[in-house]
Amino acid sequence: MDLESFRRWSHHAADWSADYLTHVGEAPVRAPVEPGSIYRQIPGAPPDAGEAMEAIFADLDRIVMPGITHWQHPRFFAYFPANASPPSIVAEQVTAAIAAQCMLWQTSPAATELETRMMEWLRAMIGLPETFAGVIQDSASGATLAALLTARERATGMKANADGLAGGPVLRVYSSAQVHSSVDKAVRIAGFGDRNLVRIPTGGPLHGMDVAALSRAIEADLAAGLKPAAIVAALGGTSIGACDDIAAVAALAKRHGIFLHVDAAWAGSAMICPEFRHLMAGAEEADSFVFNPHKWLFTNFDCSAHFIRDPKALTDTLGIRPPFLRTLGQEGFVDYNEWSVPLGRRFRALKLWFVIRSYGVETLRDMVRAHVAWAVELADRIAAEPGFEIVTAPVLSLFTFRFCPPGTTEEERDRLNARLVEALNADGRIYLTQTQHGGRFVIRFQVGATMTTRDDVLGALDVIREIAGRLA
Ligand SMILES: *Cc1c(COP(=O)(O)O)cnc(C)c1O
């Protein structure tokens, strides 16, 4: 493709993208396809000769698009959002054209320095103090892994990297069962072992860790000669939005010198609204804090904002400086690859810069606030709807509910709600997912897509009522 054709097809892609976002709300939210049906339409061998872009775009529409689940659909209420926005998409186009590999300062000084500034902006936007330094990680999972590796090094006096874990003390990690599975995964990869992830029971309206039980678990481990290394606190757990009492957990962590990582992957974006910041009280005492602008801050995946109190501990853990990666003759810069597990890094700061400048912080706050308000309004209506109950109250914009027609047993309701989710998603007008709470099957509802309106949210009840009525 010569550059004149590139210009033409880039314009075409821009038109295609605008058309896509204009009409995405007309498509079924979840892709209505059978497993294997897309695969079978793609030739088993690559073409020997180049093909025309017209043909490639035609197949994009014919083969690929029917198999897309539309995360930017205004009635996407499943999982957590992975919202994007026009300024973010435009920045991604520019980023793709620049195609810089931003592993070192000198491999694109602007990428590094814009990243430093953007993390300062985000830090101020969510009200974290300047004692934290920030880095953009590829994912919250990557940030949590980097944090737990740092905790491991701190707990072993920086010995685990050199000597491995064998022969050292048994290291313990504490969290509730409400944290994301990325914590379980990081515990494995970092070599702690599943059995050293100690689950603390939860309680209270926000389903936070029982801090007295956490304290007892730590004391018992110390008495048994085990070494408490890290606590992972949830700020907006994935299942029902559980929030730990971070201030109380942080006090305990401080008393015992335990590394505290806060996973706010989803809820962190809402901390740009001062009225929600009570949920993060005490986070300023944590060692590490992650949230995903790529979830709920209108910024394309991938963009995880990771704040650390002692970046030197992180770079001592992850920084490896072979001769071929040295920058000669310069000082006063950071090489962000030393802050994360992968070496290669995309230029992720640019889309944040476009998003924050294009909207301005006040508009971003209003968008998040509206999502929360609409979720609360819908939860109130579902609570008032005969045959339905709210199981967990809204935490920000996430709540869970259950269809419970009179005269049915809890077991029947589990099966009925499983059928209801599947029927709703097959219908295609809205998209929801499920979780388990208190041993029961419940339906999650979250509001967070960029183009969602109040009508989309409140209208979901009409769809739910209609489909549930058919099943009952
Ligand atoms: C989504 C989510 C994660 C994982 O985020 P990735 O960026 O996809 O790794 C971790 N923790 C919580 C609470 C989440 O909601």
Side-chain angles (χ1 to χ4, degrees):
M1 187 183 288
D2 61 29
L3 288 182
E4 267 321 300
S5 304
F6 168 68
R7 183 183 305 281
R8 194 174 133 231
W9 287 106
S10 296
H11 283 296
H12 181 77
D15 285 337
W16 186 99
S17 303
D19 289 341
Y20 173 67
L21 292 180
T22 303
H23 295 291
V24 65
E26 298 157 22
V29 194
R30 190 184 71 176
V33 296
E34 297 297 321
S37 63
I38 310 296
Y39 176 82
R40 283 192 295 275
Q41 296 180 70
I42 300 168
D48 282 330
E51 297 183 61
M53 285 303 286
E54 284 83 353
I56 300 171
F57 262 97
D59 285 347
L60 166 67
D61 289 332
R62 187 175 61 87
I63 301 173
V64 174
M65 293 317 291
I68 294 294
T69 292
H70 301 290
W71 286 71
Q72 305 314 313
H73 195 295
R75 291 186 302 282
F76 182 99
F77 305 120
Y79 307 102
F80 275 142
N83 67 19
S85 64
S88 171
I89 297 165
V90 170
E92 284 285 57
Q93 289 166 356
V94 174
T95 302
I98 298 171
Q101 224 288 18
C102 308
M103 56 191 182
L104 303 173
W105 174 82
Q106 78 166 350
T107 64
S108 272
T112 295
E113 296 185 15
L114 187 63
E115 179 163 337
T116 305
R117 266 296 183 228
M118 287 309 97
M119 295 305 286
E120 291 170 5
W121 284 13
L122 285 180
R123 185 181 65 197
M125 283 165 67
I126 64 168
L128 273 183
E130 290 177 11
T131 41
F132 286 87
V135 58
I136 305 180
Q137 304 279 15
D138 55 355
S139 61
S141 308
T144 295
L145 176 58
L148 286 186
L149 289 167
T150 306
R152 184 190 79 181
E153 289 307 298
R154 202 172 94 175
T156 58
M158 307 306 287
K159 283 209 170 69
N161 268 349
D163 300 337
L165 288 171
V170 172
L171 304 176
R172 305 283 270 179
V173 179
Y174 309 84
S175 81
S176 81
Q178 292 293 331
V179 296
H180 188 264
S181 56
S182 55
V183 175
D184 303 54
K185 198 183 266 189
V187 160
R188 287 186 177 179
I189 301 170
F192 293 102
D194 288 351
R195 75 162 66 99
N196 294 307
L197 175 52
V198 183
R199 296 297 195 189
I200 307 301
T202 54
L206 289 172
H207 313 281
M209 273 191 275
D210 175 344
V211 179
L214 172 62
S215 178
R216 285 194 299 274
I218 292 168
E219 299 287 354
D221 282 352
L222 286 170
L226 311 177
K227 174 98 188 153
I231 303 171
V232 181
L235 171 46
T238 317
S239 179
I240 55 168
C243 292
D244 292 319
D245 178 346
I246 298 172
V249 172
L252 204 51
K254 200 170 193 175
R255 171 143 28 102
H256 292 285
I258 303 173
F259 189 100
L260 172 60
H261 173 63
V262 177
D263 181 359
W266 160 69
S269 293
M271 301 301 115
I272 65 172
C273 305
E275 70 270 32
F276 302 136
R277 278 196 206 140
H278 59 96
L279 292 174
M280 71 181 274
E284 64 281 359
E285 299 294 331
D287 295 286
S288 170
F289 182 102
V290 66
F291 85 96
N292 284 350
H294 72 227
K295 270 194 169 132
W296 198 10
L297 208 59
F298 314 98
T299 304
N300 282 68
F301 186 84
D302 52 343
C303 186
S304 284
H306 186 195
F307 296 96
I308 16 272
R309 204 131 60 97
D310 178 8
K312 185 168 180 303
L314 176 66
T315 56
D316 283 350
T317 301
L318 296 178
I320 296 184
R321 300 167 191 95
F324 53 82
L325 289 180
R326 299 231 167 100
T327 298
L328 304 177
Q330 300 276 356
E331 277 172 42
F333 59 83
V334 292
D335 284 336
Y336 277 126
N337 79 82
E338 298 181 358
W339 299 48
S340 41
V341 174
L343 171 67
R345 322 183 74 243
R346 282 162 32 76
F347 184 7
R348 304 188 190 102
L350 194 73
K351 56 194 170 189
L352 271 175
W353 196 47
F354 273 49
V355 167
I356 299 169
R357 292 185 65 187
S358 172
Y359 286 105
V361 179
E362 206 41 64
T363 302
L364 294 171
R365 287 193 187 114
D366 287 344
M367 291 157 78
V368 169
R369 264 181 200 134
H371 291 162
V372 173
W374 299 334
V376 169
E377 205 176 343
L378 178 65
D380 285 346
R381 293 195 185 188
I382 292 178
E385 182 76 15
F388 286 87
E389 66 183 9
I390 296 296
V391 180
T392 60
V395 175
L396 301 168
S397 65
L398 169 69
F399 65 88
T400 62
F401 70 96
R402 192 163 150 94
F403 181 37
C404 48
T408 47
T409 66
E410 293 296 344
E411 288 66 33
E412 284 164 349
R413 291 173 182 181
D414 283 344
R415 288 191 293 276
L416 199 52
N417 280 274
R419 283 171 55 214
L420 177 57
V421 173
E422 192 35 44
L424 284 165
N425 295 340
D427 172 82
R429 280 174 287 173
I430 64 175
Y431 184 27
L432 303 169
T433 44
Q434 73 290 330
T435 190
Q436 286 270 334
H437 182 69
R440 302 262 75 111
F441 186 105
V442 299
I443 304 180
R444 292 171 79 262
F445 196 105
Q446 69 74 26
V447 182
T450 307
M451 295 191 292
T452 297
T453 64
R454 179 169 171 268
D455 283 350
D456 290 315
V457 176
L458 299 184
L461 179 54
D462 298 330
V463 181
I464 294 166
R465 188 191 297 117
E466 174 193 321
I467 306 269
R470 262 187 246 156
L471 293 184

